[in-house]
Amino acid sequence: MAILLQTEAVERARLIAGISYTVDLDLTLGDTEFGSRTVVRFSCSEPGASTFIDLKAVSVESITLNGNDIHPSAISDGRLTLTQLQHANELSVTARMAYTRDGQGLHRAVDPADEKAYVYGMSFLDAAPQIFPCFDQPDLKAAYDLTVTAPQDWVVAGNSAAKQTSPGRWEFETSKPLATYFFTICAGPYETVRDEHRGIPLALHARASLGQDLRRHAPQMLDVTKQGLDYFEDLFGIDYPWGEYHQFFVPEFNAGAMENPGCVTFRDQYIFRGSVGRAEIMQRSNTILHEMAHMWFGDLVSMKWWDDLWLNESFAEYMAHRACSAATEFDDAWVDFGISRKNWGYAADRAPSTHPIAGNAADDTDSALTNFDGISYAKGCSALRQLALYVGDDAFVGGVRDYLRDHSYGNATLADFLDAISAHTDVDLDAWSKGWLETAGTDEIAVVVDGDPIGVVEAVRTTPEAHPADRPHMLDIAGFCGGKEVWRTPVFTLGATSGEETPLTGLERPKLLVPNASDLTWTIPVFDDNTLAAMPDELPKVEDPQVRQVVWAGLLNGMALSTVDPQTVLAVFEASFPTEENESLRHWTARLVRRRLGYFLPDAERQEATERIAVAATVALGAADAERVVTPGRLLAATSSDEGLLRRWVAAEDLPDAFAGDLDVRWTALTRLAQLGRADDAAIDEFAAQDRTMAGEQNALRAKAVRPTPEAKEWAWTQLESNAALSNYEALAIAETIFVAPSSELVRPHVERYFRVLPKLADRLGEFASQKIAAAAFPVGVTEQATSDAAQEALRSGRMTANVRRAIVDGTAELDEALASLQRFGR
C-alpha cells in the first residue's frame, strides 16, 4: 500500500474541505469480511482538479462520483483517484473489507472460553481506510453519520451516542468533527457496567468471559474516571466535549490504549483476572487518565501532521501523572513514572535511533511511527514538567487553556502551543525550546562537594558528546546519612558543563549524594565511588521513595553506560527488595533487574544471579503482609529452581492466600519448570485444558517455546515462520521466550534465522505487531560480538519496514551496551 507523503497531505488539504462521512457497516456477513457502504461529501477549492481518497478493500461492488460510475480498477495501491472534481462533490463506495488479526483496522477475535466473537476498530495511524474510504490525514477532520448492522445479541458503540432502532440495527448521532485516525466501532457480546457522572453517561465493557472480573474492578475504574473528569474540566476550563464516555477493554490490542473520542479502547489485560498489586492498579489508573487527557489535547485539538504526534503523547503523559498524583489515591504517581516510564525513555534516548523530542521531519506516515517511543512519551512529559516549573504553573495552565479554547475541533502545531504559553510569561521560550525540544540525548548530572565538613556543593552537568546542548535544569540535590536526609538544596544549572556553586558550609559529608533528588528533570544521576559503595547498606534506610527511585535510575542507567558494575546492581537489589515498601519500586525493580541484569553478566554468572534474585524474593515474600505478596510471589515463581515448590504452586498447593484462584501465577511457575526442562508438551497441554482462554492459549505457547531443547526451539521458529493463523498476541507470546535458554549454545544457531524471518512478519501482521515481536525476540541473550555483527549486516543489506528496523537498531544498541559492560566488568 502507498505511504502518504507530507507533501501529498499538504496538497490534498489545500484542495479539500467541508468533509462529511455517512458510513454504514454490516458485521453479519461472516467471519472474515464485513460490508462497508460510504458516502463522502466534500468541497474542492479548484473545480476540475484531481486528488485521491484512501481505500483498502477486499472487493468493491460500486463507486460513483457526482453520479458518474468509476470502475474499481481506478483503485491502485490503496488509493482511489478522483478526477474532474466539482466545487461540491459526493462520492459513494460499496465494498467488502477484511477483518484483521493484527490489531489494526477492524480486528476480529474469537474468545476460546466461549467461542464468542468480538470486533473493534483501530484506525491509528493509517488503518481507517481498512474500514471505510476516507481522506486519511489528521488535518482533514469531518463529522460522521454511522449506522451498523450486527448480530442481535451484540453491544455496539462508537464515537457518538447510539441507539438500537431495530433488532441488530444501530444508528449513531452525528459526531463532532474527528480526525480519521480516531474513528472506531466496538461490537460484540460484551459485558457492560454503566454509571453516570454529572450528566455524562459512563460505560465499561469487556468480553463476556471477563464479566466477573470486570464487575470486580469496575468500582475502582469508575472512581478514577470520575476523578479525572472533574480534575480535567476544572484545569482546562472546558467541559468534557464528547457526550458519552465508553471504555472498552478489547482482546489482542497492540498498544496500552487508544484515545478514540467518546470510545476509548484498552488492552483487556487491564481487567486483571487474578491477583493484582497496587502498582498494576496504578498503571491502569494512569492509563485511564492518559486517554482521558487526550479527549481535550489530541482529540478536541489535534496536530496538523504526524511530526507533532509527540506533543499529544507528552501532554497526555504529563497530565495523567499530574492528575493521578493530585486527584486520586495514587499520590506517589511520579515515583511510578520515574521507575517505569523514564527508564524506558532513557534507553531510547541513548540509543543510536535517538531523536529530538520535536522538530523531527516526518516526511511520510511510515517515518512518523518510528518516533512513537519513550522519547515522545516520557522525555516529552519531563520537558513539559520542566516547562511548568520554568514559566510557573499559572502561566503554563493559562497557556494550555488558551490553546484548547482557540483551536477547539481544529488542528494546531507546536508553534501554536508555545505561542499560547508565551502570552502568559515574559520568559523567552525560544532558547528553552532549542535546548529541550530540538536536541537529542540525556544530560548527566553529578554532585561535587568541597571540604569535610562541606564548604561548597556543586551540581555538574555533562551533555552527550554526540548531542551537545545548552538546556537549563531546575532540580535539587540532597545528602543522606543512615537513611536520614541531612540536607537538600535547589539548583538551577546552566551552561554546557557546570552549574552554580551552592554554599552549604559546616555540614557533614553524607554517605549518599543524590542529584535530582526530587526527580524534577530529565537527567541521568551520576554517583561518586563512596555513594556507590554505601548503597547496599544505605538505600534500604532512605525514607523518601522518590529518592530511592532516583537512585535506581542512576544504577540501571549506569549499568547500561558501563559506569556501574552489574554486581553492584545485584547487591543493591538483594539488600533493598525485601524491605522496599513502595509497590511501584518493588514491581518495576523486580521486572527491570530480572530482565536486564542477565545480559550484563557472563554466561557463567547468570544462573547464580537468578538464584540470588530468587532468594531476595523468598525473603520478601516471607516478610510481606497479605496485601504485598503479589510482586515477590510472582518473582519467586519466575526465578526459583526449587522444583518441588514450583510443582506445588502449579497444583495450587501452598500458594499464598492472595493467589487463590490465580491461574496466571501458576502459569508463571509452570513456565519456569518448562525453562528448567521439567515440563514437557503433555504437562503444558494438561494445564492449558484448565484455562481455555486467550491468556491460557498464549501462556501455553510461551511455555512451549521456552523449553531448553533443540526440538522446542525448532517448533517455535516453525510457528513464527509458517503458521499464518497466529494472531499478533500468539506470535508475541512465542517471541518472548524463543531465545530464552540456559546457555547461548542452544539458541546461537537461530541468530541468523531471526534476521531472516522477523522482518517478513510485517507483511502478515502489520507495523505495530511486527515491531513488538521483533523487539521481544531480539537475541540479546546471545551476548556476543557475532550477534551484533549479524545485526549490523542485516541493517545494511536486509529489506525491512522502518519500524522493524527501529526494533533491530534498538535491540542492537542494548546488546552493544551489554558487550561494553562485559568488557569492562566481566570476570
Side-chain angles (χ1 to χ4, degrees), residues 14-298:
R14 187 184 68 83
L15 289 173
I16 302 302
I19 307 166
S20 68
Y21 295 98
T22 300
V23 181
D24 182 64
L25 301 178
D26 188 346
L27 309 183
T28 65
L29 302 183
D31 297 347
T32 60
E33 296 178 6
F34 62 95
S36 176
R37 295 190 298 275
T38 305
V39 176
V40 189
R41 298 176 180 87
F42 60 98
S43 62
C44 176
S45 63
E46 294 181 7
S50 300
T51 189
F52 62 91
I53 197 166
D54 305 285
L55 173 59
K56 302 172 184 178
V58 173
S59 61
V60 176
E61 178 182 324
S62 65
I63 307 171
T64 61
L65 174 62
N66 298 327
N68 299 312
D69 291 339
I70 299 177
H71 195 274
S73 62
I75 302 171
S76 177
D77 211 15
R79 293 178 174 182
L80 169 62
T81 301
L82 306 175
T83 61
Q84 292 299 308
L85 294 174
Q86 301 173 13
H87 175 70
N89 301 273
E90 182 174 295
L91 172 72
S92 179
V93 179
T94 301
R96 281 203 173 212
M97 320 296 274
Y99 290 118
T100 69
R101 294 297 309 280
D102 64 2
Q104 295 178 260
L106 201 58
H107 183 100
R108 183 180 187 273
V110 176
D111 188 346
D114 52 18
E115 298 302 317
K116 293 181 178 180
Y118 298 85
V119 299
Y120 63 88
M122 176 61 165
S123 296
F124 183 85
L125 176 142
D126 56 358
Q130 294 176 246
I131 305 174
F132 64 102
C134 56
F135 297 109
D136 193 26
Q137 59 190 72
D139 59 339
L140 290 180
K141 287 188 168 184
Y144 292 79
D145 287 290
L146 174 65
T147 50
V148 175
T149 302
Q152 294 183 22
D153 61 337
W154 281 19
V155 172
V156 179
N159 301 111
S160 58
K163 62 180 179 180
Q164 191 169 191
T165 56
S166 62
R169 185 66 174 170
W170 296 76
E171 293 186 5
F172 289 74
E173 294 179 1
T174 301
S175 76
K176 302 286 181 62
L178 305 174
T180 48
Y181 78 93
F182 292 136
F183 176 88
T184 195
I185 177 71
C186 297
Y190 286 96
E191 286 283 322
T192 299
V193 175
R194 298 188 184 275
D195 202 345
E196 182 180 327
H197 184 59
R198 292 191 293 102
I200 303 170
L202 308 177
L204 305 173
H205 311 266
R207 286 180 284 132
S209 64
L210 293 174
Q212 182 177 347
D213 296 308
L214 173 68
R215 290 186 290 274
R216 177 164 58 97
H217 289 286
Q220 191 274 336
M221 292 190 290
L222 288 168
D223 281 348
V224 168
T225 299
K226 296 171 186 178
Q227 289 163 341
L229 287 168
D230 289 345
Y231 183 82
F232 290 135
E233 287 190 342
D234 180 66
L235 188 70
F236 301 146
I238 298 174
D239 289 345
Y240 170 71
W242 303 105
E244 297 182 352
Y245 196 59
H246 293 266
Q247 296 178 90
F248 275 85
F249 294 83
V250 298
E252 299 177 339
F253 197 66
N254 281 326
M258 178 63 199
E259 66 268 21
N260 313 302
C263 190
V264 179
T265 45
F266 298 82
R267 61 198 316 250
D268 65 8
Q269 286 90 338
Y270 281 133
I271 304 298
F272 305 109
R273 64 179 192 155
S275 55
V276 59
R278 183 178 187 274
E280 292 160 299
I281 297 293
M282 184 193 299
Q283 183 184 15
R284 181 180 67 194
S285 301
N286 191 278
T287 304
I288 288 171
L289 294 173
H290 178 109
E291 305 311 321
M292 186 183 293
H294 275 308
M295 296 298 117
W296 287 266
F297 205 110

Side-chain angles (χ1 to χ4, degrees), residues 314-331:
S314 297
F315 186 88
E317 186 93 345
Y318 170 71
M319 282 298 169
H321 286 90
R322 177 172 172 148
C324 216
S325 179
T328 78
E329 65 180 291
F330 302 110
D331 56 3

Side-chain angles (χ1 to χ4, degrees), residues 677-706:
R678 297 290 186 265
D680 58 14
D681 270 355
I684 296 168
D685 289 339
E686 181 182 356
F687 193 73
Q690 305 175 44
D691 186 17
R692 296 190 181 280
T693 64
M694 287 183 173
E697 289 185 344
Q698 293 152 19
N699 280 320
L701 293 171
R702 195 176 287 111
K704 290 182 177 182
V706 82

